[in-house]
Amino acid sequence: MSHLTSNIDTIPPQTRLSVTDLKLRAELLLPDIAQGSAERERERKLPYEQIQRLAEARLLTFRIPKHYGGSGSTVREAVQFIIDVAAFDSNIAQALRPGFLFIEGLLARSSEEERKLWFSRYLAGQVVGNAGWEIGGANGAVATRIVRDGEYFRVNGSKYYSTGGLYSDWICAVALDENDHSVFFILPRNREGLELIDDFDAMGQRLTASGTTHLNNVIVYPEEILPRGLNDENKRSIVTPFAQIFLGAVEAGIARNVLRDAVHFVQEKARPIKHSTAQRSVDDPYVQHAVGEISARAFAAEAAILRAAESIDAAWDAELDEAAVNHAAVQVARAQFIAVESALKAAERLFDVGGASTTGRAHNFDRHWRNARTVANHNPRDWKAAAVGAFHLKDEQLPLSGLF
């Protein structure tokens, strides 16, 4: 168990932190966690300690309501935190996604007993990861099987996408039962037969621990089966827009991180090109233009994502009225498109603030584009734009695929 920095006290379990408390802790802790992020990404050093410190500081608990001991933060406040994390290290931000989604699921469709149990675990600094989807079949297809074995169950299969699993105390997964119905369950990280492998080989987001999980005849006890609640497959869940805005928040954070690196490089490293009339790079009008454009794109991405987050809050305020939830999905799809475009373009423009030296491996500036591109490939932005276009043209609601 790692320790927080000296300017952040250990939090007694019974102490409730306000939204202001959490924001202050994030402000103090995130710059410290960011130290060495470019080197970690280049050398594939997984940020175990950094994620543990966030959990110890209760910074994964923004959305836990006050009457369960949490801060009762809004979706907008939680999304702002994710942007802030991604602005320092987008790998860490995305690795936290399953844990934040699990809380949203508890809020949307779980029993009082489940909420008390899991919220208390989060407040104690525990982390939830994911072992969800597979390869080899149609997108979203599940081949993993769970069967009854006396008083408990046994599960066998392999998952390719296991975001955040290696950093977690609990692993949430899905399998098909004898009737081909989806069964969601959650297991302690050290359960016998549960094998997590760091083999994620994408060009970006390399440290999200999104590799393979093998479930080798793993025992699942009845109390580890997650009830599906009143989830209606013909009606959009509020959790899906939240899942999508999380990805947009990571993109917005990447764009802001690009801006930070661009400004620092121009101020501390860059030299004007030979035929420039400027004596310093900070005075070169073309460098100024590049940095200004990066700044504008980072601003646009963050503003769009936060505006969409407010629509999710509005849906909660409307007691998850179907029209309000669908409106939130449209707003999130719009914002995602802008966030992806902005992050990719900002990451490209970073190389225009200096000469060949910007491509040096020591700077690892290419990680921004690689990371933004990898996050964008989760759900192609062309589908987002097309779905929003159909909504405007034909009043057609966005798909209920779980990706809107």
Side-chain angles (χ1 to χ4, degrees):
M1 186 72 69
S2 60
H3 297 286
L4 301 179
T5 51
S6 58
N7 55 2
I8 299 179
D9 299 327
T10 300
I11 311 167
Q14 70 277 12
T15 301
R16 177 184 295 155
L17 298 178
S18 67
V19 176
T20 301
D21 293 330
L22 293 180
K23 290 178 179 178
L24 177 59
R25 287 181 175 275
E27 184 180 343
L28 293 171
L29 188 54
L30 289 180
D32 186 53
I33 282 178
Q35 294 297 316
S37 61
E39 291 75 19
R40 285 197 300 268
E41 200 268 1
R42 187 178 62 241
E43 298 170 14
R44 200 180 181 89
K45 294 182 178 179
L46 299 181
Y48 289 103
E49 178 184 355
Q50 288 76 15
I51 290 177
Q52 183 61 56
R53 291 170 70 186
L54 291 174
E56 288 178 352
R58 293 196 193 167
L59 290 173
L60 314 188
T61 70
F62 269 82
R63 290 283 290 146
I64 295 178
K66 291 180 180 179
H67 59 278
Y68 294 104
S71 67
S73 302
T74 63
V75 171
R76 189 188 193 282
E77 288 164 335
V79 166
Q80 180 69 74
F81 169 69
I82 296 306
I83 294 172
D84 293 343
V85 175
F88 288 109
D89 190 327
S90 66
N91 286 274
I92 290 177
Q94 191 172 348
L96 302 179
R97 186 172 179 242
F100 274 80
L101 294 186
F102 192 74
I103 289 178
E104 291 301 305
L106 291 170
L107 293 172
R109 56 176 179 260
S110 293
S111 67
E112 187 73 8
E113 182 180 2
E114 280 186 289
R115 291 173 184 169
K116 287 180 178 178
L117 172 64
W118 285 103
F119 290 159
S120 67
R121 287 172 173 170
Y122 273 86
L123 291 167
Q126 296 185 26
V127 181
V128 172
N130 177 56
W133 307 114
E134 306 172 11
I135 57 175
N139 187 22
V142 174
T144 300
R145 290 286 176 172
I146 185 169
V147 297
R148 182 170 285 280
D149 184 6
E151 296 181 355
Y152 45 83
F153 300 85
R154 293 277 184 177
V155 62
N156 284 277
S158 293
K159 306 290 186 176
Y160 183 69
Y161 298 108
S162 308
T163 303
L166 289 172
Y167 309 123
S168 303
D169 302 288
W170 301 88
I171 303 295
C172 186
V174 60
L176 299 181
D177 64 14
E178 295 93 332
N179 299 312
D180 288 338
H181 293 151
S182 296
V183 177
F184 290 81
F185 54 94
I186 190 161
L187 304 172
R189 168 70 180 81
N190 60 357
R191 178 65 52 80
E192 183 178 357
L194 184 61
E195 180 186 9
L196 277 71
I197 304 172
D198 178 29
D199 62 350
F200 188 57
D201 65 350
M203 66 177 180
Q205 296 297 88
R206 296 169 173 172
L207 308 185
T208 57
S210 298
T212 302
T213 296
H214 295 304
L215 296 124
N216 302 312
N217 207 33
V218 176
I219 289 179
V220 180
Y221 295 101
E223 62 270 22
E224 294 169 339
I225 301 292
L226 298 172
R228 296 296 287 155
L230 300 176
N231 191 42
D232 183 351
E233 294 183 357
N234 297 313
K235 183 178 179 181
R236 193 181 317 280
S237 166
I238 192 63
V239 180
T240 55
F242 184 89
Q244 298 309 306
I245 203 170
F246 199 106
L247 296 174
V250 174
E251 297 280 9
I254 290 172
R256 201 205 296 167
N257 205 354
V258 171
L259 177 60
R260 180 185 296 108
D261 274 351
V263 170
H264 181 265
F265 187 85
V266 173
Q267 291 178 336
E268 304 295 334
K269 304 284 186 180
R271 295 179 298 171
I273 197 166
K274 187 174 182 179
H275 52 265
S276 173
T277 58
Q279 298 300 309
R280 303 180 306 163
S281 286
V282 294
D283 298 321
D284 187 310
Y286 293 101
V287 172
Q288 292 172 349
H289 183 279
V291 172
E293 181 180 338
I294 292 169
S295 177
R297 293 186 182 279
F299 177 83
E302 186 162 347
I305 290 299
L306 292 176
R307 175 72 179 272
E310 292 172 357
S311 71
I312 301 179
D313 280 321
W316 278 105
D317 291 341
E319 298 182 348
L320 303 186
D321 171 76
E322 185 174 1
V325 174
N326 285 332
H327 175 70
V330 172
Q331 294 287 74
V332 170
R334 289 169 174 160
Q336 274 186 291
F337 187 91
I338 293 299
V340 169
E341 295 281 284
S342 298
L344 289 172
K345 189 62 178 179
E348 177 189 340
R349 288 291 272 155
L350 172 56
F351 294 96
D352 291 324
V353 304
S357 59
T358 60
T359 66
R361 293 297 297 133
H363 303 305
N364 199 19
F365 287 156
D366 62 302
R367 77 187 189 281
H368 297 306
W369 188 90
R370 290 187 289 99
N371 291 341
R373 181 66 263 179
T374 301
V375 175
N377 272 51
H378 278 66
N379 301 307
R381 65 189 186 279
D382 288 342
W383 276 95
K384 302 290 179 178
V388 172
F391 168 78
H392 283 295
L393 293 171
K394 302 186 294 182
D395 199 27
E396 185 177 300
Q397 290 300 322
L398 273 57
L400 295 174
S401 62
L403 302 181
F404 290 88

